[in-house]
Amino acid sequence: MFPALCFGCSCSHWLIPMYAWNFIFRNLREMFKLDAAEYMMSICGDDGLRELSSTGKSGSFFYLSHDDRFVIKTLRRSELKVLLTMLPSYYNHVKEHENTLITKFFGLHRITLKHGKEVRFVVMGNMFCTELHIHRRYDLKGSTYGRFTYPDKIHEGTTLKDLDLSYEFHMDWLLRESLFKQLSLDCKFLESQQIIDYSLLLGLHFRAPEHLKALLEPPDSLHKSESIPAMEGAISQGEFLIPPKGLVLLTHEPSFVSTAPGPHIRGNTLRACSVGDKEVDLLLPGTARLRVQLGVNMPAQANCKLLQNETGSAKVELFEVYDVVLYLGIIDILQGYNLKKKMEHAYKSVQSDPMSISAVEPKLYSRRFIEFLEKVFPVSPSFPTSSC
């Protein structure tokens, strides 16, 4: 779909015939179980594309297919070069690791505008293609320099950043183990390709958020529990006020789960210790059974610390606790650690803590990224979701 490309360097491997790239992308689409006709209708059909409200930091434009299955991003020349350089290795990585959390690339295309200007764009899977409403979105890098959003800029649909995140997410032990095993594999791949500036895109669906504002109190404040109004459906268990269960893990039954092709169909169903180390589906009251995969339909409990007071010798911590469904994946993987990024690192290191800035060498970036996410998804001694 695009001709032989040459980037003006002396390396002969940059001059690659179009059939080689077409072959790789065609195989990727087959691996992801995408029908060729449906793919073309999604991005080239009469319904057209929807432009997203904001462009990326790089100046790229983003579009969404009419069926929400694909994100289309325009590419700068430097990003195209990174993509084509890593493409054979990327293909091998996703072939070997079907549960990879790295952005799914489905196609690379070029259009020529009226005045002869060429625009190149890549087609990716939309990880938020779900029947559930995504109430909140985060773009997490593990760095802190400039990683916040001004309050007047926040509205519904805003993608928030690292310093805006006030939650910890607790999940089933086996689900968390699978998550970090794959994160480690994916980060090692990106490190091998000298990639930095990637993010974990995290989407949250809150289970009945208007009803899940339970305040948990420590045991020594039991005498105060009577003054806290009980939520509808909540029960008292020992010293804690427990919110009603909104998420239930069930033993996986393929006949109950939709198998329609989509951006998430490839990958294993995950196992969960809460149902005896069996493959699981997620059941939300009022919805169909959802297939739990890595990064898709992952149940968790979101804990948000409200305040911490000291009354005499007792320390009181108050939390908001929500049942959530998580959607997540690694995005923005087309930035290499080049001379420009090395200069950015040197310049910002004079002004701020070098560990706080995004532009650091790939090995350090990978380690910092994982260490940050281990705090976002801490080890939980127990996760309340259970089978029926």
Side-chain angles (χ1 to χ4, degrees):
M1 293 185 184
F2 47 98
L5 297 171
C6 180
F7 293 89
C9 68
S10 59
C11 301
S12 60
H13 69 274
W14 278 115
L15 194 58
I16 309 260
M18 67 177 183
Y19 66 78
W21 303 125
N22 284 336
F23 175 78
I24 292 178
F25 280 112
R26 184 172 68 247
N27 283 349
L28 283 171
R29 290 192 292 270
E30 290 176 357
M31 240 182 345
F32 294 131
K33 297 181 173 63
L34 283 178
D35 179 77
E38 288 184 1
Y39 170 74
M40 294 307 296
M41 285 301 298
S42 289
I43 63 174
C44 302
D46 294 335
D47 292 322
L49 306 175
R50 304 198 309 274
E51 184 175 355
L52 298 183
S53 58
S54 62
T55 60
K57 186 177 179 181
S58 66
S60 297
F61 289 89
F62 291 83
Y63 301 87
L64 203 59
S65 62
H66 68 89
D67 54 8
D68 289 343
R69 292 171 70 184
F70 305 107
V71 174
I72 294 91
K73 176 191 176 184
T74 60
L75 292 178
R76 292 175 293 129
R77 192 178 185 86
S78 61
E79 291 175 321
L80 178 63
K81 181 175 180 178
V82 170
L83 175 59
L84 295 183
T85 300
M86 71 160 14
L87 191 57
S89 298
Y90 169 86
Y91 174 83
N92 290 330
H93 181 78
V94 298
K95 184 179 181 180
E96 183 177 355
H97 305 289
E98 66 175 358
N99 288 314
T100 180
L101 293 164
I102 292 177
T103 303
K104 293 178 172 64
F105 291 126
F106 299 124
L108 178 62
H109 308 275
R110 183 188 69 182
I111 56 175
T112 303
L113 304 179
K114 275 186 177 181
H115 303 293
K117 181 180 179 180
E118 293 180 348
V119 177
R120 299 174 181 87
F121 60 92
V122 65
V123 180
M124 304 172 287
N126 175 19
M127 66 183 65
F128 294 158
C129 181
T130 170
E131 63 190 71
L132 302 182
H133 181 66
I134 303 297
H135 294 105
R136 196 161 296 175
R137 305 159 193 255
Y138 292 92
D139 181 283
L140 306 175
K141 292 182 181 291
S143 58
T144 57
Y145 183 84
R147 300 294 295 165
F148 65 93
T149 308
Y150 290 103
D152 60 335
K153 300 291 185 181
I154 298 176
H155 53 80
E156 186 177 2
T158 298
T159 301
L160 303 172
K161 300 177 183 178
D162 302 62
L163 295 178
D164 303 318
L165 183 65
S166 57
Y167 299 99
E168 286 183 352
F169 301 99
H170 299 268
M171 61 176 64
D172 181 281
W173 182 82
L174 278 179
L175 301 187
R176 184 187 184 277
E177 182 182 52
S178 298
L179 174 63
F180 278 92
K181 180 179 179 180
Q182 190 59 54
L183 281 171
S184 178
L185 290 169
D186 289 340
C187 285
K188 284 181 180 178
F189 166 74
L190 295 172
E191 184 183 322
S192 73
Q193 302 298 306
Q194 294 292 292
I195 301 298
I196 63 167
D197 264 359
Y198 48 86
S199 310
L200 186 84
L201 183 61
L202 175 65
L204 312 182
H205 169 80
F206 289 85
R207 171 62 186 163
E210 67 275 14
H211 297 306
L212 292 178
K213 286 193 173 182
L215 296 180
L216 302 187
E217 290 192 330
D220 56 10
S221 59
L222 174 60
H223 63 281
K224 298 182 180 180
S225 62
E226 295 180 357
S227 64
I228 301 176
M231 280 188 318
E232 181 182 356
I235 60 173
S236 176
Q237 183 177 13
E239 299 83 6
F240 295 90
L241 187 66
I242 305 298
K245 286 191 184 302
L247 304 176
V248 179
L249 288 178
L250 302 165
T251 302
H252 176 59
E253 295 183 43
S255 59
F256 283 88
V257 184
S258 172
T259 57
H264 303 306
I265 194 63
R266 184 173 179 265
N268 296 325
T269 301
L270 296 186
R271 296 179 179 272
C273 64
S274 56
V275 292
D277 191 19
K278 297 178 181 178
E279 292 185 341
V280 290
D281 301 331
L282 176 64
L283 184 66
L284 286 80
T287 70
R289 185 189 292 248
L290 303 175
R291 183 181 182 188
V292 179
Q293 296 173 256
L294 208 58
V296 184
N297 299 324
M298 296 189 72
Q301 190 176 77
N303 292 356
C304 177
K305 183 181 290 188
L306 295 178
L307 54 91
Q308 181 171 305
N309 289 330
E310 290 192 12
T311 306
S313 60
K315 182 180 289 186
V316 179
E317 292 185 340
L318 299 180
F319 293 87
E320 282 184 343
V321 181
Y322 302 90
D323 276 337
V324 294
V325 185
L326 305 180
Y327 296 84
L328 53 92
I330 298 175
I331 63 168
D332 294 340
I333 65 167
L334 300 180
Q335 177 59 62
Y337 190 55
N338 52 26
L339 179 60
K340 180 180 177 181
K341 284 296 177 179
K342 292 176 182 178
M343 292 175 64
E344 178 184 338
H345 172 78
Y347 174 73
K348 289 184 177 178
S349 294
V350 175
Q351 301 175 317
S352 305
D353 177 4
M355 284 298 294
S356 72
I357 63 179
S358 179
V360 295
E361 60 89 15
K363 188 172 184 178
L364 177 58
Y365 192 98
S366 171
R367 185 172 73 247
R368 184 183 63 185
F369 183 71
I370 293 288
E371 288 175 352
F372 173 75
L373 293 180
E374 285 175 340
K375 296 176 183 176
V376 176
F377 301 95
V379 176
S380 179
S382 62
F383 179 69
T385 300
S386 61
S387 60
C388 289

